[in-house]
Short mmCIF file of all heavy atoms in Angstrom, two decimals:
data_model
loop_
_atom_site.label_atom_id
_atom_site.label_comp_id
_atom_site.label_asym_id
_atom_site.label_seq_id
_atom_site.Cartn_x
_atom_site.Cartn_y
_atom_site.Cartn_z
N ARG L 112 72.51 77.09 74.80
CA ARG L 112 71.04 76.82 74.66
C ARG L 112 70.55 77.12 73.23
O ARG L 112 69.78 76.31 72.60
CB ARG L 112 70.22 77.63 75.66
CG ARG L 112 68.73 77.10 75.77
CD ARG L 112 68.00 77.75 76.82
NE ARG L 112 66.66 77.19 76.97
CZ ARG L 112 65.67 77.66 77.78
NH1 ARG L 112 65.99 78.86 78.50
NH2 ARG L 112 64.48 77.09 77.92
N LEU L 129 69.05 73.49 85.80
CA LEU L 129 69.41 74.95 86.45
C LEU L 129 68.68 76.08 85.93
O LEU L 129 69.15 77.15 86.34
CB LEU L 129 70.96 75.01 86.26
CG LEU L 129 71.88 73.98 86.96
CD1 LEU L 129 73.33 74.23 86.75
CD2 LEU L 129 71.66 73.99 88.48
N LEU L 130 67.74 76.00 85.08
CA LEU L 130 67.02 77.15 84.57
C LEU L 130 66.33 77.94 85.62
O LEU L 130 66.23 79.18 85.53
CB LEU L 130 66.11 76.84 83.44
CG LEU L 130 66.68 76.11 82.26
CD1 LEU L 130 65.67 76.03 81.16
CD2 LEU L 130 67.85 76.97 81.66
N GLN L 131 65.97 77.28 86.77
CA GLN L 131 65.38 77.85 87.86
C GLN L 131 66.13 77.43 89.15
O GLN L 131 65.55 77.40 90.24
CB GLN L 131 63.86 77.37 87.98
CG GLN L 131 63.17 77.93 86.79
CD GLN L 131 61.61 77.71 87.06
OE1 GLN L 131 61.02 77.85 88.21
NE2 GLN L 131 60.84 77.45 86.02
N GLY L 132 67.42 77.48 89.07
CA GLY L 132 68.27 77.17 90.30
C GLY L 132 68.44 75.65 90.52
O GLY L 132 68.66 74.92 89.46
N GLN L 149 77.21 76.09 85.86
CA GLN L 149 76.49 77.33 86.02
C GLN L 149 75.68 77.53 84.72
O GLN L 149 76.13 77.31 83.61
CB GLN L 149 77.23 78.49 86.27
CG GLN L 149 76.67 79.77 86.47
CD GLN L 149 77.68 80.95 86.54
OE1 GLN L 149 78.80 80.77 86.37
NE2 GLN L 149 77.14 82.07 86.77
N TRP L 150 74.39 78.11 84.99
CA TRP L 150 73.60 78.49 83.84
C TRP L 150 73.74 80.04 83.82
O TRP L 150 73.47 80.81 84.75
CB TRP L 150 72.10 78.15 84.06
CG TRP L 150 71.10 79.00 83.28
CD1 TRP L 150 70.17 79.84 83.80
CD2 TRP L 150 70.89 78.93 81.84
NE1 TRP L 150 69.46 80.28 82.80
CE2 TRP L 150 69.88 79.73 81.54
CE3 TRP L 150 71.48 78.11 80.82
CZ2 TRP L 150 69.34 79.96 80.23
CZ3 TRP L 150 70.94 78.42 79.58
CH2 TRP L 150 69.97 79.34 79.27
N THR L 151 74.12 80.59 82.62
CA THR L 151 74.51 82.05 82.49
C THR L 151 73.27 82.91 82.15
O THR L 151 73.54 84.15 82.07
CB THR L 151 75.78 82.21 81.60
OG1 THR L 151 75.25 81.89 80.31
CG2 THR L 151 76.88 81.36 81.92
N GLY L 152 72.25 82.30 81.87
CA GLY L 152 70.99 82.99 81.24
C GLY L 152 70.45 84.04 82.36
O GLY L 152 70.66 83.70 83.64
N THR L 153 69.81 85.08 81.98
CA THR L 153 69.17 85.94 82.82
C THR L 153 67.84 85.37 83.45
O THR L 153 67.32 85.98 84.44
CB THR L 153 68.94 87.25 82.21
OG1 THR L 153 68.13 87.13 81.09
CG2 THR L 153 70.10 87.92 81.65
N GLY L 154 67.43 84.31 82.86
CA GLY L 154 66.12 83.71 83.38
C GLY L 154 65.95 82.37 82.63
O GLY L 154 66.72 82.10 81.82
N ASN L 155 64.88 81.67 83.09
CA ASN L 155 64.69 80.36 82.48
C ASN L 155 64.25 80.43 81.05
O ASN L 155 64.36 79.37 80.27
CB ASN L 155 63.58 79.59 83.30
CG ASN L 155 62.27 80.30 83.32
OD1 ASN L 155 62.17 81.42 83.64
ND2 ASN L 155 61.34 79.48 82.95
N SER L 156 63.83 81.49 80.49
CA SER L 156 63.39 81.67 79.15
C SER L 156 64.57 82.34 78.22
O SER L 156 64.25 82.44 77.08
CB SER L 156 62.15 82.43 78.98
OG SER L 156 62.23 83.70 79.39
N ASP L 157 65.62 82.54 78.86
CA ASP L 157 66.72 83.24 78.04
C ASP L 157 67.39 82.26 77.01
O ASP L 157 68.19 81.36 77.47
CB ASP L 157 67.74 83.89 79.02
CG ASP L 157 68.77 84.66 78.33
OD1 ASP L 157 68.68 84.83 77.02
OD2 ASP L 157 69.63 85.28 78.95
N LEU L 158 67.18 82.41 75.82
CA LEU L 158 67.89 81.50 74.76
C LEU L 158 69.29 81.77 74.65
O LEU L 158 69.93 80.95 73.91
CB LEU L 158 67.05 81.52 73.48
CG LEU L 158 65.56 81.09 73.55
CD1 LEU L 158 64.85 81.21 72.23
CD2 LEU L 158 65.44 79.51 74.15
N ARG L 159 69.75 82.87 75.13
CA ARG L 159 71.10 83.26 74.95
C ARG L 159 72.10 82.56 76.03
O ARG L 159 73.27 82.86 75.93
CB ARG L 159 71.36 84.79 74.88
CG ARG L 159 70.52 85.38 73.78
CD ARG L 159 70.47 86.98 74.01
NE ARG L 159 69.81 87.29 75.22
CZ ARG L 159 69.74 88.55 75.77
NH1 ARG L 159 70.19 89.51 75.14
NH2 ARG L 159 69.03 88.61 76.92
N GLY L 160 71.49 81.97 76.97
CA GLY L 160 72.39 81.42 78.12
C GLY L 160 73.12 80.25 77.64
O GLY L 160 72.83 79.49 76.81
N ASP L 161 74.09 80.09 78.54
CA ASP L 161 75.09 78.90 78.32
C ASP L 161 75.18 78.12 79.58
O ASP L 161 74.94 78.61 80.68
CB ASP L 161 76.47 79.33 77.81
CG ASP L 161 76.54 80.03 76.51
OD1 ASP L 161 75.60 79.77 75.65
OD2 ASP L 161 77.34 80.98 76.41
#
Side-chain angles (χ1 to χ4, degrees):
R112 192 172 185 189
L129 298 173
L130 299 187
Q131 294 188 37
Q149 179 185 11
W150 161 249
T151 67
T153 57
N155 63 306
S156 61
D157 186 359
L158 296 179
R159 298 168 299 175
D161 297 325

